[in-house]
Amino acid sequence: PEVRLLGAARQLLEGLGFFEVITYSFQPDRLGSLLSGGETPAALRLANPLSEEQAMMRTSLLPGLLDALRRNTLKQAQDVRLFEISKVFEPRAGEDLPREEHCLAGLMYGAREEAAWNAARDPVNFFDLKGMVETLLEGLSIPEVAFTPEGLPEYLRYGARVFSGSRELGVLGELRPDIGDQLDLEGAIFGFNLNFAALCQASLPPRFTPLPRYPSVYRDMAMMLPEGVAAAQVTEALYAYGRPWLVDAVLFDVYVGDPVPPGKRSLAFRLSYRDPERTLTDDLVNPHHQALVAALAKDLGAELR
């Protein structure tokens, strides 16, 4: 299964425009301290390294990827997407040998699309990165993917931790600006760092369902909610209260400002209802939809706009 997932991950990331790199397992102190604000991290050090550039075993794939990013920009590469699947070496107290972890990490830098007469040179942002990771996890058949902004590592300016159910998979987000400054890189750098062993444990065999025989019924719904309520929380509630007919809930608009009161925001969803055994009518869907709206109002404080 691990070999199958390795191939699938490489194929998915290459399809998303990433290039695979292979960096050294040995690193100099200058790379090891990139993510820790200048402090050299606890790491397994070589007793007799061949050079200062191979003084310690890496504890993360990101420093090597950052060095590869810097080398590419020196060769006039403006838009870079890199990934690596390899091992890191975490020291263990009282043990001579480190704990080896199989990881998958990647970086995005530069513009969203290549320069063209009909495309703007918009820089990549957090949502580009999050969409890439979501596509990767979906392709690896990882279920119940969720994101939370709490408990991020210090090298991220902002971002999210990634979970599959209760199992943590890794982190993603924008790296602190001072990390790019140390490498003479202008602009934001976005990265993800995933535990590949956790991905293998979370991945499920693909399951197939028949194509729908009956049409869907659609409802658009715009709600005002407290700003502290995450869109993912609303989506989870929609699926919970929309059973068994709700098959899709897509967020298509987020709005803050007049006439929405301060401290609130408007989230608009397109809902798709479908029954595999019959055609749904408005008489069936309307009471079901109204019950869903009432449940959201009670549990999340949602108000229809």
Side-chain angles (χ1 to χ4, degrees):
E2 183 174 339
V3 173
R4 179 183 62 81
L5 243 65
L6 275 170
R10 287 189 170 102
Q11 187 175 27
L12 286 162
L13 286 167
E14 289 165 3
L16 291 168
F18 286 79
F19 287 86
E20 184 176 10
V21 299
I22 299 174
T23 62
Y24 288 110
S25 298
F26 310 109
Q27 289 182 342
D29 288 342
R30 62 178 176 82
L31 284 185
S33 62
L34 267 179
L35 304 182
S36 56
E39 298 181 5
T40 302
L44 183 68
R45 308 190 69 83
L46 275 69
N48 188 24
L50 295 176
S51 72
E52 292 184 359
E53 293 293 299
Q54 298 179 340
M56 55 184 280
M57 302 294 289
R58 66 185 176 198
T59 58
S60 171
L61 297 178
L62 289 175
L65 285 169
L66 286 164
D67 190 50
L69 170 61
R70 180 186 65 85
R71 293 172 183 272
N72 275 271
T73 57
L74 291 176
K75 300 295 184 181
Q76 310 303 316
Q78 298 179 343
D79 312 318
V80 182
R81 297 180 185 181
L82 303 175
F83 79 93
E84 182 170 13
I85 307 176
S86 193
K87 289 185 178 180
V88 299
F89 306 87
E90 293 284 349
R92 294 184 290 186
E95 298 283 344
D96 292 333
L97 296 178
R99 182 178 71 254
E100 298 184 22
E101 294 280 359
H102 212 169
C103 292
L104 164 59
L107 294 177
M108 294 181 68
Y109 177 81
R112 179 178 297 118
E113 299 181 10
E114 295 182 3
W117 66 270
N118 61 343
R121 290 281 295 171
D122 295 329
V124 295
N125 58 35
F126 172 76
F127 295 104
D128 294 317
L129 174 72
K130 182 170 178 280
M132 298 288 183
V133 173
E134 286 176 322
T135 302
L136 170 66
L137 298 181
E138 182 181 359
L140 296 179
S141 300
I142 307 295
E144 301 178 22
V145 174
F147 300 86
T148 177
E150 287 84 20
L152 297 177
E154 62 177 9
Y155 60 81
L156 289 182
R157 181 182 180 188
Y158 63 87
R161 292 160 68 200
V162 191
F163 289 84
S164 172
S166 60
R167 179 183 285 111
E168 184 166 3
L169 303 179
V171 297
L172 72 157
E174 181 185 347
L175 275 61
R176 292 195 326 265
D178 64 278
I179 294 175
D181 294 340
Q182 295 177 62
L183 299 171
D184 296 323
L185 294 171
E186 298 180 359
I189 306 171
F190 296 89
F192 62 88
N193 192 7
L194 305 175
N195 186 310
F196 194 78
L199 295 180
C200 293
Q201 293 166 5
S203 179
L204 296 176
R207 297 181 63 186
F208 298 88
T209 57
L211 292 173
R213 297 173 57 194
Y214 300 97
S216 298
V217 176
Y218 299 98
R219 292 289 185 273
D220 288 348
M221 180 171 61
M223 301 171 286
M224 288 190 300
L225 296 118
E227 287 186 343
V229 178
Q233 185 180 354
V234 181
T235 303
E236 183 179 349
L238 285 170
Y239 282 117
Y241 299 136
R243 293 190 184 104
W245 293 338
L246 185 66
V247 294
D248 201 16
V250 178
L251 176 68
F252 67 86
D253 185 63
V254 179
Y255 176 76
V256 177
D258 291 334
V260 177
K264 294 191 174 184
R265 61 176 178 170
S266 171
L267 302 179
F269 289 84
R270 165 156 274 208
L271 309 181
S272 303
Y273 295 101
R274 188 172 63 239
D275 190 316
E277 302 298 334
R278 57 178 170 172
T279 299
L280 292 177
T281 63
D282 288 341
D283 291 339
L284 292 170
V285 171
N286 288 343
H288 189 81
H289 182 74
Q290 291 166 4
L292 180 149
V293 172
L296 291 174
K298 178 182 178 181
D299 289 358
L300 301 180
E303 303 174 52
L304 282 183
R305 288 188 62 194

